[in-house]
Amino acid sequence: MIGPEQIAPEQIAYVNARIIDPASNTDTVGALVVFDDEIQAVGADLFPEGVPSHMKSIDCEGHVLCPGLIDMRVFVGEPGSEHNETLATASQAAAAGGVTTIIVMPNTSPVIDDVSLVDFIRRRSRDTAIVNVFPMAALTKNLDGEQITEMGLLLEAGAVAFTDGRQSIMSAQLMRSALSYASTFDALVVHDAEDPSLAKDGAMNEGELASRLGLRGIPTAAETIIVERDMALVKLTGGRYHLAQLSCADTLRVVAQAKKDGLDITCAVSTQHLTLNENDVGDYRTFFKTSPPLRSEDDRLAMIQGLQDGVIDVIVSGHDPQGPASKRLPFGEAAFGTVGLETMLPIALELVHNEQLDLMTLLRAMTSTPADILGLSSGRLTPGAPADFAVLDLGAPYIFVAETLKSRSKNSPFDGRKMQGRILKTIVGGKTVYDYEDQLS
Amino acid sequence: MNTSHISSIEDQNALVFTGNHLLGIEGLSAAEITSLLDLAESYVDFNRQEEKSLTTLCGRTQINLFFESSTRTQASFELAGKRLGADVMNMAVASSSINKGETLLDTAMTLNAMQPNLLVVRHGSSGAVKLLAQKVDCSVVNAGDGQHEHPTQALLDALTIRRNLGCLEGLTVAICGDILHSRVARSNILLLNTMGARVRIIAPPTLLPDHADRLGVEVFHDMRKGLKNVDVVMMLRLQLERMTAALIPSRREYFHHYGLDYDKLAYASPDARVMHPGPMNRGMEIASAVADDLNISLIHEQVEMGVAIRMAVLDALSRERSGGDQ
């Protein structure tokens, strides 16, 4: 006999949790109740008389319960390079990393520059992915940097922002048009800033190490010049602008000044640029070939300071799966990029354990701030918000092994690194999509 | 004397060089460099004999794997191997089908399966030879990787200098020209610093690597100032592509400021010698008259020393391997 009460979704209470919600600046021991796919209640004193018997109760044993991460910069190989990553494998990697929403880049084959392709990503995600997937659509057709895409229609189809992914827009006129036109719909323009003429043939940060290794360097000016130009264009157009990644102190100063001037801009840094520097390239290690390149230690420390000061808004993984065919090559010929979805939180926690950054600031840059920038209702532990959250053991120490990654590509720069902080559970829309205990069996 | 009775040339001292590969000058000690130079010295005399065949590497297979085309370096390694009795095979990958879609590591594995004893590799990417060396079981000699190192060139330059000026320690050597793109410059800077010479580099800023001053050299943009009282002038080849890349404006402007002629050479020490790794652009980086002046130019001797150095390197690497110390 199946009664109606068994078909109806049950309430699940996550109790004895250290609830951290950056949106409300909350850090308290309490409980969170999920009903169906939403958060129904959250707080310190939800159950003074114990959890009611009709609720399923899950004991978090004092571990952290925080909003699921929202990763604004994820490259996936679908369509076109499924051998590197599919939406399904990327979503499994995300779930294992406590990431409940991934924003996928349009740099696929074909390029996501058309309504039907946005629709393809949404359908494939619905059918195969276990976390939320939102596409950024191309800013210019075929990422050619020549003609802007149908932003209005693409927004209606479900694109959350516009970017050419790893391509920089070189024409100032086109960037002006794109920002200006996007403002019609209050759409967000996301830009990866690097002057290709200055970065030409470059493989790593320009500096002493590149000189010694005989590798062509990419100067920080390649990034700063474009950001300075973009700031002037944002001022001119009033468009909404998000700098996809920054990597150096010089750019940080430009962004800080622009914010001081009241421009509507935000920016992100990747976990790699927060935790690694150019010296990690060492002996031509291609897993440390990133774009933008890993910079100097001073630049890395500036990135941490930028987060503390609120100049840097968001932390991304910059997840960019690359198989052996594109990484097991001489450094200059190897592809840029590292996977990062599964490690973004544990590696970033290094900064918290080292007391370089507080946990609330760190989590905010991975949850509520990206949600606010993208206009998502998730990223917060509020009644009515999607039940997207993660349970973490902040202290668990282990040695990370890249071979264990869920991602189809294993190009992680953190293989063999000592990490502290483990994702115990990831819940998306009320459903548990990752449980650490299942991995042990 | 019947050379067929000579199985190998024994140097007086035990060989200090103990590597399995020669991938670069970086990491070599002064003693290792000296022992290679000493061993090469004995091959110089041998190479001047009528009969030049040894059995040192008899039965060994040497493969010259050149991903970048080269005439003189490849010929030099080929001669060196053959004079030591090795079976030498040349693979010009740049012009063969092996390069079509096959990665460097696939090529390495393919060749490794053929069980060579020595691989001599040139590749256009910095670090590529080291990458390849990690995947094969035999000894690897770097014959030039990208803009990184060209160790046998630095060794032959050192041998040439030592034979003409007695020693390396205390000398002042100026390296002039396209330092930025030069693996020869990098290896020479490392070697000369290790051996106690003072190194100056002379070039316009567009042809210098970033932070060049941290490479253990004095940097000059004015050639006359840079050449003042130097004992050795090493010129580098300037490739014509550098002009299209807007690094220098024209051939004549470059020669005017950075071409070596008697006028600029007059600032150097009266006994200064001139070197060039070849191939030369006469009238571009060096005046013909200077290049051909037998009293000061060591350019032909460099080529001769190249064979001797490569014999020493091949010999040294083979000794190490036959010792079973892998």
Side-chain angles (χ1 to χ4, degrees), chain A residues 333, chain B residues 67-68 122-126 128 144-147 183:
Chain A
E333 298 168 24
Chain B
F67 291 87
E68 267 186 351
R122 170 170 287 190
H123 196 282
S125 289
S126 302
D145 65 322
Q147 296 160 10
R183 52 193 173 215

Side-chain angles (χ1 to χ4, degrees), chain A residues 6 135 159 167 400 421:
Chain A
Q6 281 165 290
Q167 308 284 112
F400 170 68

Side-chain angles (χ1 to χ4, degrees), chain B:
Chain B
M1 168 168 149
N2 186 345
T3 49
S4 64
H5 291 142
I6 303 176
S7 61
S8 70
I9 287 184
E10 299 294 333
D11 57 335
Q12 288 73 23
N13 306 311
L15 199 61
V16 183
F17 175 77
T18 53
N20 285 329
H21 309 295
L22 180 68
L23 300 176
I25 297 298
E26 188 172 20
L28 293 187
S29 66
E32 285 178 301
I33 291 166
T34 302
S35 76
L36 284 174
L37 297 182
D38 291 344
L39 180 58
E41 194 82 59
S42 61
Y43 283 118
V44 175
D45 297 332
F46 172 78
N47 281 335
R48 288 178 177 172
Q49 296 173 23
E50 197 67 26
E51 298 283 331
K52 311 178 177 49
S53 75
L54 291 170
T55 56
T56 314
L57 298 186
C58 189
R60 307 288 177 91
T61 306
Q62 171 190 337
I63 300 180
N64 295 338
L65 181 62
F66 278 63
F67 291 87
E68 267 186 351
S69 57
S70 151
T71 309
R72 52 179 67 212
T73 305
Q74 187 171 334
S76 184
F77 270 109
E78 184 176 355
L79 265 185
K82 284 180 170 166
R83 285 184 183 171
L84 291 170
D87 296 315
V88 184
M89 188 175 84
N90 288 314
M91 295 194 70
V93 187
S95 58
S96 85
S97 62
I98 203 168
N99 202 27
K100 287 178 184 158
E102 191 175 73
T103 67
L104 172 68
L105 291 183
D106 288 334
T107 306
M109 299 311 281
T110 304
L111 290 176
N112 194 47
M114 297 178 191
Q115 307 281 348
N117 303 96
L118 291 154
L119 264 181
V120 177
V121 187
R122 170 170 287 190
H123 196 282
S125 289
S126 302
V129 179
K130 187 174 260 180
L131 179 66
L132 185 143
Q134 289 162 1
K135 303 293 170 187
V136 297
D137 303 316
C138 62
S139 288
V140 175
V141 181
N142 182 359
D145 65 322
Q147 296 160 10
H148 180 223
E149 282 229 43
H150 190 357
T152 57
Q153 179 71 43
L155 287 165
L156 75 88
D157 287 342
L159 183 62
T160 309
I161 296 171
R162 201 176 75 166
R163 285 172 62 92
N164 283 276
L165 296 169
C167 68
L168 293 159
E169 195 175 349
L171 294 181
T172 304
V173 180
I175 305 175
C176 316
D178 186 3
I179 314 283
L180 175 62
H181 300 94
S182 177
R183 52 193 173 215
V184 175
R186 276 177 186 71
S187 287
N188 264 316
I189 290 168
L190 289 163
L191 186 146
L192 291 165
N193 274 328
T194 304
M195 300 307 288
R198 300 222 317 250
V199 186
R200 298 178 182 178
I201 55 178
I202 305 171
T206 48
L207 295 179
L208 286 174
D210 193 53
H211 287 97
D213 54 316
R214 293 199 202 160
L215 300 175
V217 297
E218 282 182 273
V219 179
F220 291 86
H221 304 312
D222 181 327
M223 192 164 183
R224 288 179 174 83
K225 285 183 188 160
L227 287 183
K228 194 146 197 231
N229 298 329
V230 301
D231 302 296
V232 177
V233 186
M234 285 185 177
M235 299 306 299
L236 297 173
R237 175 180 169 78
L238 182 77
Q239 284 168 356
L240 296 170
E241 302 94 91
R242 306 306 170 219
M243 271 176 280
T244 51
L247 296 176
I248 52 166
S250 74
R251 189 184 175 112
R252 74 171 182 185
E253 170 139 336
Y254 185 77
F255 187 77
H256 180 71
H257 293 285
Y258 298 100
L260 186 66
D261 51 21
Y262 281 115
D263 176 48
K264 298 193 191 80
L265 188 58
Y267 289 81
S269 151
D271 302 323
R273 304 304 173 91
V274 174
M275 303 172 74
H276 193 298
M280 281 183 287
N281 295 305
R282 292 167 181 269
M284 178 91 176
E285 70 261 359
I286 188 165
S288 272
V290 175
D292 296 335
D293 186 335
L294 294 178
N295 292 319
I296 53 172
S297 168
L298 303 177
I299 295 170
H300 293 293
E301 192 172 336
Q302 285 175 276
V303 179
E304 185 190 353
M305 292 309 117
V307 179
I309 278 291
R310 284 157 188 142
M311 289 172 81
V313 168
L314 297 171
D315 179 0
L317 289 171
S318 304
R319 290 189 198 183
E320 189 53 35
R321 306 298 283 193
S322 57
D325 175 32
Q326 192 166 321

Side-chain angles (χ1 to χ4, degrees), chain A residues 362-374:
Chain A
L362 179 81
L363 289 175
R364 182 175 293 122
M366 294 174 155
T367 58
S368 60
T369 305
D372 291 344
I373 292 170
L374 295 164

